[in-house]
Amino acid sequence: MAKKEKDTLLQPPYEFDVVWEELIENDGFIKVFLSDVLEKYVVQQRWYGGKSSKLKYIELQEYFKIQQNEEVYYGLLLQVNFEEAFYQHYFLPIAFVSDESFAEKDRILPICMKGQNGFIIDALNLEAFRKLVFERIMRADPIDTTKVQYHKSSHFTDTEYRSSRFMGLEQSNTSIIINDNSVIKFFRRIYADKNPDYEMSRFLSEVKGFQNTPAYLGSINVVDSDGANITIALMQKLVANEGDAWAYFKQQLKMVFHNLEYKRINIARLPQVAMFARLGIKDVPPEIIDWAGLHVFLMLQRLAQRTAEMHIALGSEFGDTAFHPNHFNGDYEVWLKNRLLYQFQNRLNVVENNIHRLDGLSLELAKEFLERKNDIRKRFVNFDWTKFKGERIRIHGDYHLGQVLVKDDDFYLLDFEGEPESTIRDRKVKQPPLKDVAGMFRSFHYAIYSTIFNDGDDFPYSQEDLFKAGEILYRYFIAVFYDSYLNLIQENNLNIGYSQERTFILKYCMLEKAVYELGYEMNSRPLWAVIPLEGIMGIINETN
């Protein structure tokens, strides 16, 4: 069932001589539904990921019913095709309502079926649908071989549905809080495979008993006509929290920068530390502790501990091949270089085409970036797998402060979907654990610089001096985190390579991450391009 051309179709109200339970099999309805009507609806949704491309047409790949007695809902698997010759798949559950008060949000189209007027809407807006999904998971068959497979974890303890509400604004998914103690995340962008968030959450929670991630409670997977297992929903325990680590560290950093004035810190006399040095808190100079405070470094140690525990859990599986550690090899090297060289060329083009939008330090660094492009390219090419002794494991893949919740001076790690720009296959490739560490280091850099950008007027220093202070602080953040992380990793015999190997991989992955970030900043907020550019040139110019 597909829409191949944009025809002149019926105008609303759309009338069909068929009942709702048979509507999806009506060719006339499908032709109308997949027309501009659905296109206009889809492109307005926050979860739609094709806003930078030109939509060509939408196809209905498959559908399934979610039914209980007289309640009938449809789950649609849509293929959105683009003029640029690629496509994306999305999940859209729909419902029919005759009461207009139920169609105030996410109304897709008005319709009349056998004389009954109403609206087709996104079913997630109906509490009855959310209740039904919850109850299907609650009563899930342990061995479900049907097309729509519901799964319930041993951590699932609820015995009845009581309430549900939307969690809040999200970009790519829609999360529903159930009974104020759990969350069902509906994946809008779907793939012809199990979602990594589902795989990682279930593995860490059920197999390894990792406590610092929301406990896996259940899921919904659909087996399509090709036999692919598609994850459309993940249910997890709701972690009561005080916000994410990004907001937490931004608050801490604002106080740290205020201390420059309050404690009359002479930035030029602050002691410095080499990049990737290892420091216990007792080794941090007293001038730095006096400036930044002890608490922020204790929290960095705790975050490093939880990160290491996640990697230890992910690297200790020898039965499931999807999580079994692997050594570096030639196939991985080829895959990595092809991917990164393509991405780097893309970023070069973006900078060249938008350099006129930059000024000041951003412009200076962008020019250096273009002048040193061959040096940067050589860094990506200079990856020889035969020199590495460490192992690759499944990792978080998009690890930063925004993917971490704060609760009672502790951290909870979440959202294991992986890097948004990557294919589903690439997200499941086993990587060095230090890639996650590099991602967190880049997040520290962003937190420091965004504090300067957003709150710089509150500090009586030049931006140049604030950048200098920020770079010093950044290296101490890295040193304290890195020391705690490595201590725990080595105690548990996770093989992440020898010292020089670890430094090489950290630099390599941080360079990759900064180049990745550069594309977003150049397209969205060019003045912030100074952050990834500073990161890139800092690594290229690093002599320590």
Side-chain angles (χ1 to χ4, degrees):
M1 287 175 278
K3 170 186 174 296
K4 298 296 184 183
E5 299 177 356
K6 295 186 178 180
D7 302 322
T8 302
L9 299 168
L10 296 171
Q11 296 300 310
Y14 303 106
E15 298 186 16
F16 299 96
D17 189 27
V18 65
V19 295
W20 166 247
E21 291 78 7
E22 300 171 2
L23 182 67
I24 208 74
E25 297 170 7
N26 183 285
D27 291 340
F29 166 75
I30 291 299
K31 191 173 184 179
V32 168
F33 186 72
L34 296 180
S35 69
D36 293 347
V37 172
L38 185 59
E39 292 175 11
K40 289 176 182 176
Y41 174 80
V42 167
V43 299
Q44 293 173 359
Q45 303 310 303
R46 291 178 61 87
W47 42 259
Y48 176 60
K51 292 182 174 65
S52 61
S53 299
K54 187 175 181 182
L55 191 154
K56 189 174 183 182
Y57 60 87
I58 299 177
E59 295 177 277
L60 176 60
Q61 290 294 101
E62 297 194 28
Y63 73 89
F64 57 90
K65 287 183 179 180
I66 300 176
Q67 184 171 359
Q68 178 171 279
N69 302 323
E70 290 79 28
E71 287 183 72
V72 178
Y73 307 95
Y74 290 106
L76 308 183
L77 308 185
L78 303 172
Q79 178 170 302
V80 177
N81 298 275
F82 297 95
E83 295 284 358
E84 294 88 343
F86 74 99
Y87 57 82
Q88 296 174 344
H89 291 114
Y90 291 90
F91 168 62
L92 177 65
I94 60 172
F96 171 74
V97 294
S98 55
D99 186 338
E100 189 169 356
S101 65
F102 287 108
E104 294 176 357
K105 293 182 178 180
D106 288 334
R107 182 187 300 183
I108 301 173
L109 83 162
I111 193 170
C112 178
M113 296 176 292
K114 285 190 172 293
Q116 184 178 24
N117 292 303
F119 302 89
I120 290 179
I121 66 169
D122 186 326
L124 287 177
N125 289 286
L126 291 181
E127 184 173 19
F129 175 75
R130 304 193 296 253
K131 177 176 182 288
L132 177 57
V133 169
F134 168 83
E135 290 175 343
R136 285 293 173 87
I137 294 175
M138 183 176 68
R139 300 190 181 103
D141 186 334
I143 304 176
D144 192 345
T145 59
T146 59
K147 179 182 179 68
V148 185
Q149 299 179 354
Y150 299 88
H151 180 261
K152 180 177 72 172
S153 164
S154 59
H155 296 293
F156 193 110
T157 56
D158 274 350
T159 57
E160 64 176 356
Y161 171 90
R162 295 186 297 278
S163 66
S164 64
R165 55 188 168 88
F166 284 96
M167 190 170 191
L169 295 176
E170 292 180 276
Q171 286 297 121
S172 56
N173 305 307
T174 304
S175 293
I176 306 294
I177 296 177
I178 305 287
N179 293 347
D180 288 324
N181 61 19
S182 60
V183 178
I184 301 180
K185 179 194 294 184
F186 290 88
F187 297 106
R188 297 302 198 150
R189 176 94 184 268
I190 56 174
Y191 306 90
D193 202 348
K194 294 176 182 175
N195 191 290
D197 201 6
Y198 155 74
E199 286 186 314
M200 297 278 281
S201 174
R202 186 170 178 181
F203 177 80
L204 286 170
S205 184
E206 283 199 327
V207 179
K208 294 300 177 180
F210 180 58
Q211 297 297 309
N212 285 76
T213 192
Y216 169 80
L217 300 180
S219 57
I220 308 174
N221 287 274
V222 177
V223 181
D224 71 7
S225 56
D226 294 324
N229 202 310
I230 301 169
T231 309
I232 62 170
L234 168 66
M235 187 174 185
Q236 295 172 297
K237 183 178 179 180
L238 177 65
V239 177
N241 63 84
E242 298 143 30
D244 63 30
W246 172 262
Y248 173 82
F249 278 101
K250 283 291 299 295
Q251 182 182 32
Q252 296 294 312
L253 285 164
K254 193 170 181 179
M255 291 189 288
V256 171
F257 278 104
H258 273 303
N259 282 344
L260 288 172
E261 178 187 6
Y262 296 155
K263 299 191 175 185
R264 299 183 180 181
I265 303 292
N266 185 335
I267 296 172
R269 299 183 62 182
L270 285 170
Q272 303 199 29
V273 65
M275 183 71 85
F276 307 126
R278 293 177 59 178
L279 294 177
I281 287 183
K282 69 180 187 305
D283 303 315
V284 177
E287 300 95 321
I288 300 298
I289 295 293
D290 180 55
W291 168 34
L294 178 63
H295 184 70
V296 71
F297 288 110
L298 291 172
M299 291 297 282
L300 285 168
Q301 285 188 323
R302 178 58 57 87
L303 180 58
Q305 175 189 347
R306 298 310 181 207
T307 305
E309 289 169 348
M310 171 183 69
H311 287 154
I312 291 162
L314 291 169
S316 61
E317 175 62 27
F318 300 98
D320 186 347
T321 55
F323 289 92
H324 191 292
N326 291 140
H327 288 287
F328 291 94
N329 57 33
D331 289 342
Y332 176 78
E333 180 180 320
V334 170
W335 169 83
L336 181 68
K337 289 180 180 178
N338 286 341
R339 183 168 172 266
L340 298 190
L341 289 174
Y342 174 83
Q343 184 182 88
F344 178 60
Q345 187 59 50
N346 173 272
R347 275 23 177 201
L348 276 176
N349 295 340
V350 170
V351 172
E352 288 172 347
N353 294 334
N354 293 276
I355 197 165
H356 62 279
R357 302 170 68 189
L358 304 179
D359 57 28
L361 182 59
S362 295
L363 178 60
E364 181 184 328
L365 289 170
K367 288 179 178 178
E368 186 180 4
F369 172 76
L370 295 175
E371 289 169 1
R372 302 285 301 278
K373 62 184 178 183
N374 289 332
D375 293 334
I376 300 170
R377 189 179 285 111
K378 285 177 184 176
R379 289 291 186 103
F380 286 134
V381 172
N382 185 28
F383 187 99
D384 183 355
W385 73 270
T386 64
K387 296 180 180 179
F388 300 138
K389 306 301 180 186
E391 293 179 322
R392 297 178 292 121
I393 62 173
R394 288 289 292 273
I395 63 170
H396 185 288
D398 189 28
Y399 196 50
H400 55 78
L401 292 169
Q403 308 282 42
V404 179
L405 297 177
V406 181
K407 179 188 178 185
D408 300 330
D409 283 346
D410 205 348
F411 297 101
Y412 293 80
L413 320 183
L414 65 159
D415 289 343
F416 293 87
E417 275 197 86
E419 206 169 65
E421 282 190 18
S422 298
T423 65
I424 197 71
R425 181 184 176 189
D426 286 354
R427 298 183 201 189
K428 298 186 179 191
V429 170
K430 290 166 186 169
Q431 306 263 29
L434 288 172
K435 181 171 181 179
D436 279 344
V437 175
M440 188 56 72
F441 289 173
R442 290 295 310 140
S443 196
F444 294 162
H445 204 224
Y446 254 84
I448 289 168
Y449 271 76
S450 67
T451 301
I452 296 171
F453 282 137
N454 292 334
D455 305 301
D457 291 342
D458 296 340
F459 315 126
Y461 294 86
S462 68
Q463 191 175 74
E464 183 181 358
D465 282 343
L466 291 174
F467 284 163
K468 287 178 182 177
E471 286 295 325
I472 292 170
L473 184 65
Y474 173 51
R475 294 186 179 212
Y476 280 104
F477 273 26
I478 285 177
V480 171
F481 182 103
Y482 193 35
D483 182 68
S484 293
Y485 175 83
L486 281 179
N487 285 338
L488 194 53
I489 288 291
Q490 290 168 341
E491 285 173 15
N492 287 271
N493 299 313
L494 181 62
N495 183 5
I496 61 171
Y498 54 90
S499 179
Q500 286 181 306
E501 176 181 345
R502 295 194 300 265
T503 300
F504 176 89
I505 289 175
L506 271 176
K507 288 183 178 180
Y508 195 94
C509 292
M510 287 175 69
L511 183 61
E512 173 193 353
K513 187 69 173 176
V515 168
Y516 173 84
E517 295 161 355
L518 184 57
Y520 175 82
E521 300 301 353
M522 289 299 298
N523 287 320
S524 303
R525 46 185 187 185
L527 294 181
W528 284 49
V530 66
I531 304 177
L533 285 168
E534 186 78 63
I536 292 166
M537 301 321 303
I539 293 167
I540 293 300
N541 296 324
E542 182 67 45
T543 57
N544 293 321

